[in-house]
Amino acid sequence: MSKKMEYDRKEYDVTRTMPGNWYLSSYKFRYSLDHLQPWFKKLKEKKLVGTQCRSCNTVFFPPRLVCGYCLVKPDLWVDVRETAQVATFNITYEKNPQTGEVVEKPVVCVRHDGTDTAFLAQLSPEINFRETYVGMPLKVKWRDEPEGNIGDLEYYEPLEDEAKDLRKEE
Amino acid sequence: MDKVGIVGYYYMKMSPDLIYGRYNLIFETVRGALDSVNLKKKDITTVISATNDYYDGRTISNAYCVEPAGAYLADESKAEMDGAFAAQYGLMRILSGNHKLAVVWGGSTPSCYPYDSAQLYQTDPTFERPIALVNNITAGGFQMRAYMEKYGVSAEDIAKVAVKNRKNAAKNPLANPEAQNANITVDDVLKSDILSDPVTELMYAAPCDGLAAILLAPEKQALKITDEPVWIKGVGSNQDPYYLGDRDLSECKSMEMAAKMAFDGAGITAKDVDFAEIFEQYAHEELILAEAIGLAEKGKANELNSEINGDIPINPSGGAIAGHAPFATGLMRIIEAVKQLQGKADGYQVKDPKVAIATGQIGFCAQNNILYVLEKGGN
Amino acid sequence: MTEQNVVTNKGMVRAEFNFWVGKYMDKFYDNLENKKIVGNKCPKCSDVFVPPRQVCGKCNETIPLEQNWVDLTDTGTLKNYTITKWKITERGSRKVKDSIIGMVQIDGSNTAIIYKLLDVDPADVKTGMKVKIEWNDKTKGEPGDIKGFVKA
């Protein structure tokens, strides 16, 4: 026996309203970049580096100002390889408001081998994103003219997964 | 009340524009407080922050500051009022028995946003905000005129307070450089730019950038960490009504009741106090609050000798006129009182103090007040 | 902190609100549109509030909606005043001509309202002098209907 949810819609009194807008259009946000300047220089030469905290041995890529676990500044620069893996991914559906057409778009987080942090990135257009899985191996594709910011890591290309046929047999 | 001690502190040198990112500033302050007593990050169990969404430009502003403040995988909370109120929250957490070390920090950077017009948003949106006539500067003008007309105090007497505070700020190495005027006279104060008659520019505590942090611990831990902790003997807080038209602005009833609550808890009277660090937004507020605490009779606070070597020194570090970093000033009053009790204030030390007062306030014309009674510990 | 690189971004935060004024203020603004001032009276301590309140703060008593309304006149006494030339806007303060702002207690009430004083020299203003309201020509039921106070 199904029960219907009925509720009385109360008539409430309508009074005047006063507009109260909050504008913060003259705020200035400040960020210090002194921990990122060596990283930008190496990116322009198409080389990858990261920082490591001496007390807990976590490697941060991109470099970070403070290691939250130890409350110190990580200051040991280490080498980072170009291979990476997919840490997690998501498929979003965007609806065009004019035509009503639904488009699928992937959102991917990658983590370089040897580091402990993941960040948002783009996949190469050749990959069929419906077939991505956690742990898929990738490699960096650089921009033709690197400028010295994070956009130089243009997208990630697929690599051969050596253990793929072993997993299929199970 | 069980004994809770203040064991460490740190605050940055204030300046009109610290050109530095906020993440970095918070890390330096909290790390400096921990390094001053050789503690590690794993000793921290709870962190209280005193920040404001509007002054930071982002909502839930303490979520961004979790890592540099040492709250990674620790208990963290926020009090959106002055730093002295966040210290009361930290005190309550330690008295609950669950925590062994609390970090309380606060501060903001008013060089990034228009401070005086942001105060307009404290007013009532249905009646006062559409005409936009009340903000902290006009409220100060009303309060000063009410005080002057009721007790017959002249503008020169009030300017003498501003002169004393600015000369004291010149001896304080961490004060705002714009407020360190060692050779100022009463004439200079009265002839400066009028903000809102009769308040002039040099009588007003102008906002500047700064941050501060203190460490609190219960009795057993405090004696292990340092030889000279400063005990909090009593605390009291109270609040006035909201509209400016409801209150009598020449006195501060909420500070009288807060002082009574704190003195009863500590078991002392106003005569036992050796010196006071009062948070004042304008020079005349120091007189009104000193009368409300009980250090002088009504209308006679300008006759007190409040210099550093006088009968009852008030604001030996310069008070809020020496540098007002919004939300850090209450904590700085506590830190200056602790420095004087430990004997570490070089150049502006009061002689042999034992019991002190530190106050904090927030709201137009000292609407919400809090008062701490601090006692020297150790030997 | 020797050599640092600091990047500054400008922020644009904008939120638009509409506040319901409530039933008590609605009645107050209805009377303001007809160029009259009304107030509320607490049944316990007999304080008269302008603008009206729902709860008396001292006694912690609710004042009922349909009773205890008091009609008041246009005149009042000046309790406090200040002279400033800074104009308060959301984006910063600007310097304009001198304007006198006063706290006026309407005769018969116990609270004060804050408005400008018009047509008077700063040297002639004294606390305790009698003032009266100057209305706007077209009233719309908002706080701007009272243009200011003039000497009575």
Side-chain angles (χ1 to χ4, degrees):
Chain A
M1 189 160 73
S2 68
K3 215 172 165 189
K4 262 201 195 164
M5 289 285 284
E6 277 171 357
Y7 60 95
D8 299 318
R9 195 190 165 98
K10 274 201 255 181
E11 291 293 325
Y12 50 87
D13 301 324
V14 175
T15 65
R16 284 163 218 268
T17 58
M18 283 288 163
N21 302 324
W22 285 54
Y23 293 132
L24 198 54
S25 55
S26 45
Y27 196 92
K28 298 191 277 209
F29 293 97
R30 289 216 175 106
Y31 303 100
S32 39
L33 293 181
D34 46 346
H35 61 290
L36 285 177
Q37 296 296 65
W39 190 63
F40 288 150
K41 262 196 268 193
K42 288 284 180 180
L43 270 187
K44 209 158 179 185
E45 301 167 14
K46 292 194 183 176
K47 296 189 179 12
L48 296 175
V49 289
T51 50
Q52 185 175 27
C53 170
R54 283 175 212 259
S55 52
C56 62
N57 291 335
T58 27
V59 178
F60 297 101
F61 180 87
R64 212 174 276 192
L65 192 63
V66 171
C67 171
Y69 195 66
C70 319
L71 205 62
V72 287
K73 290 195 177 179
D75 52 357
L76 184 62
W77 292 91
V78 292
D79 174 68
V80 168
R81 299 282 92 208
E82 290 187 352
T83 51
Q85 291 187 345
V86 170
T88 176
F89 69 98
N90 199 346
I91 301 182
T92 59
Y93 297 88
E94 270 186 29
K95 187 169 172 179
N96 194 336
Q98 274 131 14
T99 63
E101 192 190 326
V102 173
V103 168
E104 286 182 334
K105 280 207 170 141
V107 176
V108 172
C109 261
V110 302
R111 181 180 66 87
H112 277 250
D113 289 333
T115 67
D116 297 298
T117 56
F119 60 100
L120 287 173
Q122 286 209 354
L123 286 183
S124 148
E126 300 161 15
I127 303 182
N128 182 4
F129 56 83
R130 290 181 195 83
E131 288 179 8
T132 49
Y133 53 93
V134 173
M136 195 164 109
L138 302 166
K139 188 164 129 68
V140 168
K141 153 99 174 54
W142 292 97
R143 199 166 25 188
D144 298 326
E145 305 270 342
E147 291 169 14
N149 53 30
I150 196 168
D152 291 343
L153 310 169
E154 202 170 349
Y155 52 76
Y156 284 79
E157 288 174 325
L159 279 182
E160 191 62 46
D161 188 351
E162 302 297 336
K164 197 164 183 171
D165 46 346
L166 290 175
R167 278 199 300 265
K168 263 200 189 150
E169 280 176 10
E170 285 171 12
Chain B
M1 193 168 84
D2 292 337
K3 273 190 177 180
V4 175
I6 302 177
V7 294
Y9 53 84
Y10 185 86
Y11 77 91
M12 314 195 69
K13 176 160 170 66
M14 295 183 267
S15 112
D17 196 349
L18 284 172
I19 308 178
Y20 216 43
R22 191 164 157 73
Y23 209 75
N24 233 329
L25 289 175
I26 299 173
F27 172 70
E28 257 196 49
T29 313
V30 175
R31 191 77 240 183
L34 286 176
D35 284 344
S36 69
V37 281
N38 294 330
L39 286 174
K40 299 196 187 27
K41 183 254 175 235
K42 63 177 172 56
D43 299 325
I44 301 179
T45 49
T46 179
V47 174
I48 320 272
S49 60
T51 57
N52 187 340
D53 292 350
Y54 201 78
Y55 295 172
D56 286 351
R58 41 170 70 88
T59 54
I60 317 180
S61 54
N62 58 330
Y64 173 66
C65 316
V66 159
E67 288 195 15
Y72 190 96
L73 295 180
D75 201 344
E76 199 258 355
S77 180
K78 169 170 124 163
E80 196 160 326
M81 297 166 98
D82 197 36
F85 293 92
Q88 188 188 29
Y89 192 175
L91 175 72
M92 293 197 289
R93 281 195 160 176
I94 297 220
L95 287 175
S96 73
N98 284 332
H99 293 288
K100 298 216 170 39
L101 182 74
V103 173
V104 180
W105 70 271
S108 67
T109 49
S111 57
C112 295
Y113 63 92
Y115 178 74
D116 289 324
S117 41
Q119 297 285 320
L120 172 65
Y121 289 98
Q122 273 186 355
T123 53
D124 183 8
T126 56
F127 187 61
E128 284 177 344
R129 226 189 274 174
I131 16 179
L133 284 178
V134 180
N135 75 348
N136 56 339
I137 297 189
T138 48
F142 285 138
Q143 193 186 26
M144 184 162 169
R145 187 168 301 279
Y147 182 64
M148 276 167 52
E149 297 217 342
K150 183 154 181 187
Y151 296 113
V153 177
S154 66
E156 277 88 20
D157 291 328
I158 296 178
K160 281 189 198 153
V161 173
V163 165
K164 161 187 82 94
N165 277 350
R166 283 176 186 263
K167 283 191 174 161
N168 285 346
K171 302 178 190 151
N172 184 357
L174 293 174
N176 188 358
E178 285 185 3
Q180 290 180 320
N181 318 97
N183 301 327
I184 196 170
T185 62
V186 170
D187 258 350
D188 293 334
V189 173
L190 290 173
K191 288 199 173 49
S192 56
D193 220 8
I194 291 193
L195 288 179
S196 141
D197 191 276
V199 175
T200 64
E201 190 177 346
L202 292 178
M203 290 186 202
Y204 169 59
C208 60
D209 291 356
L211 269 111
I214 64 173
L215 304 173
L216 299 170
E219 186 180 359
K220 231 170 88 178
Q221 311 297 118
L223 290 170
K224 275 194 228 166
I225 295 175
T226 168
D227 288 332
E228 26 180 30
V230 170
W231 305 116
I232 299 182
K233 296 292 292 212
V235 64
S237 71
N238 213 316
Q239 193 174 0
D240 264 327
Y242 172 68
Y243 288 102
L244 279 181
D246 284 2
R247 301 154 60 181
D248 181 2
L249 288 174
S250 63
E251 58 179 16
C252 189
K253 273 224 159 85
S254 61
M255 183 56 108
E256 288 175 33
M257 306 187 65
K260 184 162 173 313
M261 193 166 137
F263 289 153
D264 285 345
I268 63 169
T269 63
K271 297 199 193 353
D272 304 326
V273 172
D274 286 326
F275 72 95
E277 282 275 346
I278 298 184
F279 175 0
E280 85 288 14
Q281 288 249 5
Y282 315 92
H284 61 272
E285 245 181 42
E286 188 175 305
L287 302 174
I288 296 179
L289 292 173
E291 291 169 9
I293 295 176
L295 300 171
E297 294 207 356
K298 290 279 166 77
K300 301 222 187 310
N302 53 330
E303 294 170 13
L304 269 186
N305 184 357
S306 53
E307 300 278 344
I308 294 182
N309 50 0
D311 299 323
I312 185 148
I314 301 186
N315 283 338
S317 65
I321 290 184
H324 170 46
F327 288 34
T329 321
L331 279 179
M332 287 182 191
R333 301 279 73 73
I334 298 179
I335 294 177
E336 290 291 345
V338 166
K339 256 183 165 176
Q340 296 269 354
L341 287 170
Q342 289 181 338
K344 294 191 182 154
D346 299 320
Y348 55 104
Q349 171 78 45
V350 169
K351 204 152 177 229
D352 262 349
K354 300 247 178 337
V355 174
I357 286 183
T359 74
Q361 56 146 290
I362 190 145
F364 284 153
C365 296
Q367 183 194 353
N368 204 341
N369 287 305
I370 187 169
L371 189 135
Y372 288 90
V373 175
L374 304 168
E375 198 195 35
K376 178 173 169 171
N379 39 347
Chain C
M1 301 195 228
T2 46
E3 203 227 272
Q4 344 128 352
N5 245 307
V6 178
V7 153
T8 309
N9 280 340
K10 282 206 113 176
M12 302 271 174
V13 172
R14 200 180 150 132
E16 305 197 347
F17 287 89
N18 266 327
F19 291 97
W20 295 90
V21 298
K23 300 186 200 166
Y24 291 75
M25 290 294 280
D26 206 28
K27 210 160 172 176
F28 178 72
Y29 283 137
D30 279 339
N31 279 304
L32 211 64
E33 210 169 341
N34 299 333
K35 302 201 180 175
K36 272 174 28 144
I37 308 261
V38 291
N40 230 343
K41 188 162 166 172
C42 170
K44 211 164 160 191
C45 63
S46 307
D47 273 355
V48 177
F49 300 105
V50 169
R53 308 277 163 88
Q54 188 178 7
V55 176
C56 169
K58 265 195 289 190
C59 324
N60 213 5
E61 283 254 330
T62 320
I63 307 178
L65 176 57
E66 295 299 335
Q67 307 159 18
N68 299 44
W69 289 94
V70 177
D71 281 329
L72 299 166
T73 63
D74 274 3
T75 56
T77 25
L78 185 70
K79 287 254 141 176
N80 212 341
Y81 68 97
T82 182
I83 307 171
T84 175
K85 60 172 169 266
W86 294 89
K87 180 169 153 72
I88 306 157
T89 61
E90 289 133 358
R91 290 184 181 85
S93 308
R94 289 185 282 132
K95 268 193 184 182
V96 293
K97 276 192 325 197
D98 270 354
S99 59
I100 312 179
I101 310 178
M103 267 202 208
V104 175
Q105 182 171 341
I106 304 272
D107 289 330
S109 72
N110 295 69
T111 60
I113 53 179
I114 302 180
Y115 275 98
K116 280 194 186 170
L117 295 179
L118 311 163
D119 292 337
V120 64
D121 211 38
D124 295 334
V125 181
K126 290 202 184 351
T127 45
M129 72 185 205
K130 300 277 173 203
V131 291
K132 78 171 197 292
I133 298 181
E134 181 175 318
W135 296 95
N136 233 341
D137 294 326
K138 280 185 15 176
T139 53
K140 291 187 241 173
E142 13 166 81
D145 287 345
I146 300 182
K147 212 161 147 195
F149 284 88
V150 289
K151 213 165 171 181

